[in-house]
């Protein structure tokens, strides 16, 4: 039932300003979680905050505009969450950076930028959050990876390689944190129609309808996912309903990985 699945739980979500992160924040708020939201884009972050406050006026909510590639804000976000909410139970590592340079032309600087956000950034928040998650007794980390971490394509070597590394990190942390009662899992979304893709299409002169038609062959279901369709599996893995699941990669890609 809405408002019950995360009642009393405290969650930190990175990349919460738009897309999957914003949808997850709204879903978690609906389910009763106190929220610490982080995003590098302060305008988008405040938009998510306003949407939650309008829909759930009683929600406990904190926000921090920060680049996840820097370690200090991760500790600040956790400190604020634990001080304001009395602890931390859930971490959702959703923040991500894309790069479209072909592998044979990518520069060391491009590699460093993407790795710093997608992989090192995730480790910053894991390291900062783990003491509180261990103290929770029912801590959960959910990594938002990508279906392209496990299947191939051309043109996004940096993004896909770092998303694959997140899956390895998920498995390692699952081993290391099991004795501390912290579960660690990953979701691998497929094509998800977020603001990022809509705005990119608009800059290329495409309509949303045209954009939707382009992904009919990238899932067995023949369509894009809505961000809410990714938020639901994230919620499930973070909740007590998944209490015996750790080290798992959940494909949320409409079947793309078997095509």
């Amino acid at each position: 039932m809405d408002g019950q699945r995360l009642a009393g739980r405290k969650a930190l979500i990175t990349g919460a300003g738009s897309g999957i992160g914003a949808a997850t924040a709204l879903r978690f708020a609906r389910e009763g979680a106190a929220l610490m939201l982080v995003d590098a884009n302060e305008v988008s972050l405040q938009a998510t905050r306003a949407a939650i406050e309008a829909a759930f006026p009683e929600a406990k909510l904190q926000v921090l505009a920060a680049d996840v590639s820097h370690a200090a804000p991760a500790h600040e976000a956790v400190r604020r969450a634990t001080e304001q909410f009395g602890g931390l139970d859930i971490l959702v590592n959703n923040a991500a950076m894309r790069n479209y340079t072909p592998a044979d032309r990518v520069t060391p600087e491009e590699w460093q930028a993407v790795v710093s956000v997608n992989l090192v950034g995730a480790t910053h928040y894991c390291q900062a959050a783990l003491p509180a998650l261990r103290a929770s007794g029912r801590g959960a980390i959910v990594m938002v990876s990508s279906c392209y971490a496990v299947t191939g394509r051309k043109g996004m070597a940096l993004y896909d390689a770092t998303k694959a590394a997140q899956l390895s990190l998920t498995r390692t942390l699952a081993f290391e944190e099991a004795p501390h009662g912290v579960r660690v899992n990953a979701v691998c979304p497929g094509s998800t129609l977020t603001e990022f893709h809509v705005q990119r299409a608009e800059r290329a002169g495409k309509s949303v309808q045209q954009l939707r038609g382009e992904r009919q062959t990238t899932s067995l279901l023949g369509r894009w996912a809505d961000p809410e369709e990714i938020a639901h599996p994230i919620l499930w893995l973070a909740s007590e309903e998944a209490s015996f699941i750790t080290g798992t990669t959940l494909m949320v890609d409409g079947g793309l990985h078997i095509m």
Side-chain angles (χ1 to χ4, degrees):
M1 182 170 59
D2 283 354
Q4 298 299 312
R5 297 168 78 186
L6 296 182
R9 307 294 294 280
K10 303 97 175 177
L12 192 164
I13 303 171
T14 69
S18 61
I20 292 169
T24 300
L26 279 159
R27 187 72 243 181
F28 276 31
R30 181 180 296 278
E31 297 293 341
L35 295 172
M36 178 74 226
L37 307 181
V38 178
D39 199 282
N41 187 322
E42 185 163 10
V43 174
S44 297
L45 184 61
Q46 292 299 337
T48 300
R49 178 180 197 163
I52 292 172
E53 290 176 339
F56 312 105
E58 302 303 316
K60 295 179 180 179
L61 181 61
Q62 293 283 315
V63 300
L64 178 65
D67 183 338
V68 299
S69 67
H70 302 302
H75 292 274
E76 172 65 11
V78 172
R79 183 191 67 79
R80 285 175 52 184
T82 55
E83 286 184 359
Q84 293 295 318
F85 307 144
L88 188 67
D89 305 296
I90 299 164
L91 169 65
V92 179
N93 273 316
N94 172 70
M97 179 180 181
R98 293 174 174 84
N99 180 290
Y100 296 91
T101 304
D104 64 339
R105 296 202 297 272
V106 69
T107 67
E109 293 76 17
E110 286 176 301
W111 268 113
Q112 185 63 47
V114 177
V115 169
S116 293
V117 172
N118 294 1
L119 183 57
V120 178
T123 66
H124 288 330
Y125 280 80
C126 289
Q127 289 177 331
L130 276 170
L133 296 175
R134 291 167 179 169
S136 163
R138 52 179 183 175
I141 298 174
V142 182
M143 300 282 194
V144 182
S145 179
S146 168
C147 63
Y148 291 106
V150 300
T151 188
R153 62 175 167 176
K154 62 181 180 180
M156 291 192 71
L158 283 72
Y159 181 84
D160 295 352
T162 52
K163 288 298 183 178
Q166 285 184 343
L167 300 185
S168 180
L169 178 62
T170 296
R171 293 188 291 269
T172 297
L173 283 173
F175 269 103
E176 293 180 350
E177 294 306 314
H180 303 291
V182 179
R183 299 182 298 105
V184 189
N185 294 290
V187 296
C188 286
S191 300
T192 307
L193 194 58
T194 64
E195 296 96 322
F196 173 85
H197 292 293
V198 171
Q199 292 168 3
R200 189 163 180 258
E202 288 173 345
R203 289 194 296 270
K206 297 177 183 176
S207 67
V208 174
Q209 192 59 38
Q210 288 175 301
L211 183 63
R212 287 186 180 277
E214 291 178 352
R215 295 302 176 107
Q216 290 181 354
T217 60
T218 57
S219 78
L220 289 179
L221 301 180
R223 62 174 179 83
W224 293 76
D226 288 323
E228 292 76 12
E229 293 179 289
I230 313 301
H232 286 129
I234 294 171
L235 165 66
W236 180 66
L237 285 173
S239 76
E240 289 300 294
E241 294 171 11
S243 58
F244 199 59
I245 299 175
T246 195
T248 291
T249 296
L250 178 60
M251 305 305 298
V252 192
D253 64 351
L256 174 61
H257 67 286
I258 64 169
M259 292 175 68

